[in-house]
Amino acid sequence: MRASSATLTRESQVTRESGCFQDIPITVNGRIRTGRLPWLAAFIENLFVSHRDRLVWLHAVFFVFFLALIFLPLVLPEPPEDATPLSNFTTFSIYVMWGLWFPLVFLSVIFTGRSWCGILCPMGAASEWANKKGLKRPIPAWVRWEGTPIVSFLIITILGQTVGVRDHPEAIAEVFGGTLLAAILLGFVYGRNKRAWCRHMCPIGLLLGVFSRIGAWQFAPKRKRAGGDQYTEKTVCPTMIDIPRKEESRHCIECFRCVNPRARGGLFLRLRTPGEEIEQIRCHNPNPYEVWFLFLGTGVALGGFLWLVLPFYWELRETVAEWFFGHGWFWVGESGPGWLMSVHPERREVFAWLDFITITGFMIACMLVFAAALGFTTWAAAWLSGKHAGDRNLRDRFVELGYQYTPVAMVSLVIGLGATLFESLRAVGLDTSDIAWVKTGLFVTGLAWSIWLGNRILALQGVPANHRWLPLVPGLAGSLFVGAAWWPGIFGV
Ligand code: SF4
Ligand code: SF4
């Protein structure tokens, strides 16, 4: 398996007319390939394609493990105060969900895109299995609406906080079990050999989809057809991608189903420089819904973290309580249903309606402030780009520049919500200050990467190098704002 000696240089790959990179083709095993390390891509492709039939066993194992993680703690005794993941299954389950699964899946997209979805996720596999047995009805418009996964993400994220999904096994069972049930039901009713859930409704899928655009794995058509990305149910692809027209990564769950190394058509695995798709986002179907989701979704996740650590939240709660009680609305001091809020007297945590209202309100307020701030900095960058020879209209420039925040948003999310994983680094001898340095290193990398992507997007918009600093300033301000907002999570209050 040897590649020809063609040299890849980044600038030589850019065609000025389209602003997109044009790969230099290389021959591997008698087949034309493009991208970085083509011999490695060919090897990975062969490995997965030859073992594709066995993926079903991997899905089955993960499915059983997933069920055990979310339901077994419900029938086990309460863990003792000094329980560790190694001594108690309930503590182990919470550790696996939040200490390993959450941060590692998000970090993995940088290297392998949505490989979690296609290769390991038991929820998507269960949805597809149900689909094979199900009613196969046409996917309705309300499911196909682009805002559906945004709504789904917001509901699950807020509910997760009010029921205490990071602390209570009952809440894990409700949120993850409920999501699994919804995935199976949707799969059972809608689509024909498809994963309507994964494409349209999964609360995690859209987030992984946005972040997968910075990933090093991409599936590209061998024979590309013009016309840009299209949605079609007449395709082998479980997420309704029109294979020959595929341009963007976000909906590809990397199932390898469209890949056949011996065929002339279909897709091939193309390795690329991380961030390349965002750098030239104009050639990869940029989407305003996705950009607003990036702003809103990371904003609400931030709110879900900040209410736990900011003293300001507790002051706000007190003010709201006084206002309610002052108006004679004493019912806010009573506890509500356990499926809507945390009611665990045995663990000394009982939320009242007041908590439900203030947590929800705080998260929504954080989301709106975050989205407004990033919306403003992106608008300012797009406007300044237009003033300095940036091409296309303001809306298009806005959408393109909105993607520059992807790395800093992703890294902040992983550091802020992946505290358990970072604490585990103590096991390999790191102390508090070492862990802070690891987090700082990751954060600065995400920040620098976002600024660099902003610069590249502006370059492809045609803004000359000597004027680029001006529209870069709002981009830098936006990235610093993301970092400042997550500061309590990264470095403490
Ligand atoms: S989109 Fe959601 S349900 Fe589907 S495979 Fe990915 S994480 Fe799993
Ligand atoms: S494009 Fe190919 S690899 Fe990606 S989800 Fe569709 S069939 Fe699977």
Side-chain angles (χ1 to χ4, degrees):
M1 195 177 295
R2 275 166 30 91
S4 77
S5 58
T7 309
L8 296 176
T9 62
R10 208 162 180 71
E11 292 306 323
S12 71
Q13 287 174 277
V14 179
T15 55
R16 287 290 155 209
E17 312 81 61
S18 65
C20 302
F21 294 146
Q22 298 296 315
D23 274 330
I24 299 169
I26 291 175
T27 306
V28 177
N29 286 346
R31 293 271 174 227
I32 300 287
R33 301 191 73 95
T34 58
R36 310 260 161 191
L37 305 174
W39 55 272
L40 179 61
F43 172 77
I44 297 171
E45 201 178 279
N46 278 323
L47 184 74
F48 274 98
V49 170
S50 55
H51 293 92
R52 195 164 40 201
D53 294 346
R54 297 193 185 124
L55 278 182
V56 64
W57 295 109
L58 202 54
H59 290 148
V61 170
F62 264 74
F63 186 73
V64 173
F65 183 54
F66 183 63
L67 288 185
L69 282 181
I70 61 177
F71 292 125
L72 207 51
L74 296 181
V75 296
L76 293 176
E78 197 71 14
E81 294 277 333
D82 59 352
T84 68
L86 294 177
S87 67
N88 182 280
F89 187 81
T90 303
T91 314
F92 171 77
S93 156
I94 292 174
Y95 177 76
V96 169
M97 297 302 264
W98 300 110
L100 296 179
W101 173 79
F102 176 81
L104 292 184
V105 164
F106 280 90
L107 279 179
S108 75
V109 295
I110 298 177
F111 305 101
T112 59
R114 290 179 70 176
S115 54
W116 160 260
C117 289
I119 299 169
L120 300 174
C121 179
M123 224 175 324
S127 184
E128 192 172 350
W129 178 81
N131 185 255
K132 286 195 173 75
K133 311 278 169 204
L135 307 177
K136 299 185 171 46
R137 296 214 176 125
I139 302 169
W142 68 269
V143 174
R144 282 188 277 118
W145 178 53
E146 295 227 54
T148 306
I150 302 180
V151 175
S152 151
F153 179 82
L154 297 184
I155 291 173
I156 288 293
T157 308
I158 293 173
L159 181 70
Q161 288 301 311
T162 60
V163 295
V165 75
R166 291 169 68 81
D167 300 315
H168 305 294
E170 297 81 0
I172 290 183
E174 177 190 340
V175 171
F176 287 94
T179 312
L180 174 65
L181 185 65
I184 291 174
L185 282 177
L186 198 92
F188 185 80
V189 179
Y190 298 121
R192 186 172 287 274
N193 299 322
K194 294 287 173 280
R195 286 196 189 193
W197 173 262
C198 296
R199 167 89 193 215
H200 299 297
M201 291 199 78
C202 176
I204 313 156
L206 187 56
L207 204 56
L208 290 177
V210 183
F211 294 151
S212 74
R213 285 188 184 269
I214 57 178
W217 282 28
Q218 175 203 16
F219 287 81
K222 289 178 184 165
R223 296 169 169 222
K224 191 156 187 300
R225 209 179 293 162
D229 267 88
Q230 303 285 332
Y231 178 95
T232 174
E233 291 182 40
K234 293 181 186 145
T235 169
V236 67
C237 176
T239 51
M240 282 71 88
I241 296 168
D242 189 358
I243 304 282
R245 291 197 172 89
K246 180 175 180 294
E247 285 180 346
E248 60 178 333
S249 298
R250 67 180 168 133
H251 297 304
C252 176
I253 57 167
E254 304 188 351
C255 65
F256 282 86
R257 227 165 286 179
C258 58
V259 178
N260 180 351
R262 286 182 296 279
R264 288 182 183 280
L267 303 188
F268 70 100
L269 176 63
R270 178 181 174 276
L271 301 182
R272 58 186 180 178
T273 311
E276 183 188 286
E277 183 167 328
I278 289 189
E279 198 183 326
Q280 43 176 325
I281 189 68
R282 58 178 46 201
C283 313
H284 294 282
N285 203 22
N287 182 301
Y289 279 94
E290 200 184 5
V291 168
W292 281 110
F293 170 71
L294 184 66
F295 297 172
L296 294 167
T298 44
V300 81
L302 172 73
F305 175 76
L306 287 183
W307 80 267
L308 287 163
V309 296
L310 284 189
F312 168 72
Y313 166 78
W314 297 100
E315 289 162 18
L316 179 80
R317 181 182 180 277
E318 213 169 298
T319 309
V320 174
E322 278 168 17
W323 189 87
F324 274 123
F325 295 149
H327 286 76
W329 294 356
F330 297 106
W331 58 268
V332 296
E334 291 164 18
S335 179
W339 59 268
L340 202 55
M341 62 192 79
S342 175
V343 185
H344 300 287
E346 71 285 6
R347 295 181 206 123
R348 297 184 292 282
E349 185 177 276
V350 177
F351 283 178
W353 281 106
L354 174 67
D355 297 292
F356 178 80
I357 293 166
T358 48
I359 292 170
T360 306
F362 184 81
M363 288 178 72
I364 292 174
C366 274
M367 175 183 83
L368 295 176
V369 169
F370 194 84
L374 288 192
F376 175 73
T377 55
T378 310
W379 172 84
W383 184 76
L384 287 167
S385 165
K387 290 283 167 209
H388 293 90
D391 63 0
R392 303 194 170 176
N393 60 36
L394 181 66
R395 179 184 176 276
D396 290 346
R397 292 195 303 273
F398 176 94
V399 173
E400 287 179 15
L401 285 162
Y403 284 95
Q404 70 182 301
Y405 302 115
T406 311
V408 72
M410 193 193 84
V411 167
S412 304
L413 195 69
V414 169
I415 300 175
L417 299 182
T420 315
L421 178 71
F422 288 98
E423 282 306 305
S424 312
L425 293 176
R426 290 183 194 281
V428 292
L430 301 194
D431 61 18
T432 306
S433 102
D434 296 331
I435 293 172
W437 276 111
V438 172
K439 290 180 178 179
T440 308
L442 267 176
F443 175 69
V444 171
T445 306
L447 187 70
W449 195 0
S450 277
I451 295 165
W452 187 80
L453 285 177
N455 181 44
R456 294 302 305 163
I457 294 169
L458 287 166
L460 290 188
Q461 287 181 353
V463 181
N466 58 340
H467 287 134
R468 228 175 278 155
W469 66 272
L470 205 55
L472 265 179
V473 169
L476 172 66
S479 293
L480 288 174
F481 172 76
V482 176
W486 280 98
W487 188 271
I490 300 171
F491 304 107
V493 185

PDB file of all heavy atoms in Angstrom, residues 114 116-117 121 123-124 195 197-198 202 205, ligand 1:
ATOM      1  N   ARG A 114     -18.007  11.973  13.676  1.00  0.00           N
ATOM      2  CA  ARG A 114     -19.106  11.339  14.415  1.00  0.00           C
ATOM      3  C   ARG A 114     -18.973   9.812  14.445  1.00  0.00           C
ATOM      4  O   ARG A 114     -19.960   9.096  14.289  1.00  0.00           O
ATOM      5  CB  ARG A 114     -20.444  11.753  13.800  1.00  0.00           C
ATOM      6  CG  ARG A 114     -20.779  13.195  14.053  1.00  0.00           C
ATOM      7  CD  ARG A 114     -22.091  13.588  13.423  1.00  0.00           C
ATOM      8  NE  ARG A 114     -23.238  12.989  14.081  1.00  0.00           N
ATOM      9  CZ  ARG A 114     -24.502  13.255  13.756  1.00  0.00           C
ATOM     10  NH1 ARG A 114     -24.754  14.110  12.791  1.00  0.00           N
ATOM     11  NH2 ARG A 114     -25.495  12.667  14.392  1.00  0.00           N
ATOM     12  N   TRP A 116     -18.545   8.016  16.939  1.00  0.00           N
ATOM     13  CA  TRP A 116     -19.358   7.485  18.044  1.00  0.00           C
ATOM     14  C   TRP A 116     -20.728   7.060  17.515  1.00  0.00           C
ATOM     15  O   TRP A 116     -21.234   5.987  17.828  1.00  0.00           O
ATOM     16  CB  TRP A 116     -19.515   8.539  19.148  1.00  0.00           C
ATOM     17  CG  TRP A 116     -20.679   8.262  20.053  1.00  0.00           C
ATOM     18  CD1 TRP A 116     -21.910   8.843  19.999  1.00  0.00           C
ATOM     19  CD2 TRP A 116     -20.743   7.283  21.103  1.00  0.00           C
ATOM     20  NE1 TRP A 116     -22.735   8.305  20.951  1.00  0.00           N
ATOM     21  CE2 TRP A 116     -22.042   7.348  21.651  1.00  0.00           C
ATOM     22  CE3 TRP A 116     -19.829   6.372  21.638  1.00  0.00           C
ATOM     23  CZ2 TRP A 116     -22.450   6.532  22.702  1.00  0.00           C
ATOM     24  CZ3 TRP A 116     -20.240   5.565  22.692  1.00  0.00           C
ATOM     25  CH2 TRP A 116     -21.522   5.646  23.213  1.00  0.00           C
ATOM     26  N   CYS A 117     -21.323   7.933  16.690  1.00  0.00           N
ATOM     27  CA  CYS A 117     -22.683   7.698  16.197  1.00  0.00           C
ATOM     28  C   CYS A 117     -22.762   6.419  15.355  1.00  0.00           C
ATOM     29  O   CYS A 117     -23.618   5.572  15.574  1.00  0.00           O
ATOM     30  CB  CYS A 117     -23.152   8.885  15.351  1.00  0.00           C
ATOM     31  SG  CYS A 117     -23.486  10.365  16.304  1.00  0.00           S
ATOM     32  N   CYS A 121     -22.752   4.075  19.107  1.00  0.00           N
ATOM     33  CA  CYS A 121     -23.933   4.542  19.852  1.00  0.00           C
ATOM     34  C   CYS A 121     -25.071   3.514  19.873  1.00  0.00           C
ATOM     35  O   CYS A 121     -25.614   3.140  18.821  1.00  0.00           O
ATOM     36  CB  CYS A 121     -24.449   5.850  19.274  1.00  0.00           C
ATOM     37  SG  CYS A 121     -25.920   6.436  20.151  1.00  0.00           S
ATOM     38  N   MET A 123     -28.072   3.983  21.065  1.00  0.00           N
ATOM     39  CA  MET A 123     -29.373   4.609  20.871  1.00  0.00           C
ATOM     40  C   MET A 123     -29.737   4.690  19.381  1.00  0.00           C
ATOM     41  O   MET A 123     -30.846   4.339  18.971  1.00  0.00           O
ATOM     42  CB  MET A 123     -29.333   6.017  21.470  1.00  0.00           C
ATOM     43  CG  MET A 123     -30.552   6.320  22.250  1.00  0.00           C
ATOM     44  SD  MET A 123     -30.563   7.866  23.117  1.00  0.00           S
ATOM     45  CE  MET A 123     -28.994   8.228  23.727  1.00  0.00           C
ATOM     46  N   GLY A 124     -28.790   5.148  18.588  1.00  0.00           N
ATOM     47  CA  GLY A 124     -29.026   5.237  17.144  1.00  0.00           C
ATOM     48  C   GLY A 124     -29.229   3.861  16.542  1.00  0.00           C
ATOM     49  O   GLY A 124     -30.095   3.655  15.672  1.00  0.00           O
ATOM     50  N   ARG A 195     -32.497   6.430   9.782  1.00  0.00           N
ATOM     51  CA  ARG A 195     -32.372   6.862  11.179  1.00  0.00           C
ATOM     52  C   ARG A 195     -32.920   8.284  11.274  1.00  0.00           C
ATOM     53  O   ARG A 195     -32.147   9.244  11.404  1.00  0.00           O
ATOM     54  CB  ARG A 195     -30.918   6.866  11.614  1.00  0.00           C
ATOM     55  CG  ARG A 195     -30.311   5.505  11.860  1.00  0.00           C
ATOM     56  CD  ARG A 195     -29.021   5.711  12.659  1.00  0.00           C
ATOM     57  NE  ARG A 195     -28.259   4.495  12.776  1.00  0.00           N
ATOM     58  CZ  ARG A 195     -27.242   4.363  13.632  1.00  0.00           C
ATOM     59  NH1 ARG A 195     -26.899   5.366  14.409  1.00  0.00           N
ATOM     60  NH2 ARG A 195     -26.569   3.238  13.694  1.00  0.00           N
ATOM     61  N   TRP A 197     -34.387   9.619  13.646  1.00  0.00           N
ATOM     62  CA  TRP A 197     -34.032  10.178  14.957  1.00  0.00           C
ATOM     63  C   TRP A 197     -32.673  10.866  14.892  1.00  0.00           C
ATOM     64  O   TRP A 197     -32.498  11.990  15.351  1.00  0.00           O
ATOM     65  CB  TRP A 197     -34.033   9.071  16.006  1.00  0.00           C
ATOM     66  CG  TRP A 197     -33.516   9.522  17.325  1.00  0.00           C
ATOM     67  CD1 TRP A 197     -32.245   9.354  17.809  1.00  0.00           C
ATOM     68  CD2 TRP A 197     -34.228  10.264  18.329  1.00  0.00           C
ATOM     69  NE1 TRP A 197     -32.122   9.923  19.048  1.00  0.00           N
ATOM     70  CE2 TRP A 197     -33.323  10.493  19.394  1.00  0.00           C
ATOM     71  CE3 TRP A 197     -35.525  10.747  18.432  1.00  0.00           C
ATOM     72  CZ2 TRP A 197     -33.690  11.181  20.539  1.00  0.00           C
ATOM     73  CZ3 TRP A 197     -35.894  11.434  19.585  1.00  0.00           C
ATOM     74  CH2 TRP A 197     -34.977  11.650  20.615  1.00  0.00           C
ATOM     75  N   CYS A 198     -31.687  10.158  14.322  1.00  0.00           N
ATOM     76  CA  CYS A 198     -30.321  10.683  14.307  1.00  0.00           C
ATOM     77  C   CYS A 198     -30.216  11.937  13.437  1.00  0.00           C
ATOM     78  O   CYS A 198     -29.483  12.862  13.759  1.00  0.00           O
ATOM     79  CB  CYS A 198     -29.348   9.619  13.800  1.00  0.00           C
ATOM     80  SG  CYS A 198     -29.273   8.194  14.882  1.00  0.00           S
ATOM     81  N   CYS A 202     -32.215  13.852  17.486  1.00  0.00           N
ATOM     82  CA  CYS A 202     -31.334  13.532  18.611  1.00  0.00           C
ATOM     83  C   CYS A 202     -30.762  14.809  19.224  1.00  0.00           C
ATOM     84  O   CYS A 202     -30.160  15.624  18.521  1.00  0.00           O
ATOM     85  CB  CYS A 202     -30.192  12.628  18.168  1.00  0.00           C
ATOM     86  SG  CYS A 202     -29.044  12.315  19.515  1.00  0.00           S
ATOM     87  N   GLY A 205     -27.023  14.740  18.613  1.00  0.00           N
ATOM     88  CA  GLY A 205     -26.574  14.621  17.229  1.00  0.00           C
ATOM     89  C   GLY A 205     -26.212  15.947  16.586  1.00  0.00           C
ATOM     90  O   GLY A 205     -25.182  16.049  15.905  1.00  0.00           O
TER      91      GLY A 205
HETATM   92  S1  SF4 B   1     -27.372  11.043  16.487  1.00  0.00           S
HETATM   93 FE1  SF4 B   1     -27.753  10.608  18.657  1.00  0.00          FE
HETATM   94  S2  SF4 B   1     -28.830   8.651  18.726  1.00  0.00           S
HETATM   95 FE2  SF4 B   1     -27.984   8.891  16.674  1.00  0.00          FE
HETATM   96  S3  SF4 B   1     -26.080   7.790  16.768  1.00  0.00           S
HETATM   97 FE3  SF4 B   1     -25.577   9.945  17.226  1.00  0.00          FE
HETATM   98  S4  SF4 B   1     -25.716  10.171  19.452  1.00  0.00           S
HETATM   99 FE4  SF4 B   1     -26.641   8.202  18.896  1.00  0.00          FE
END
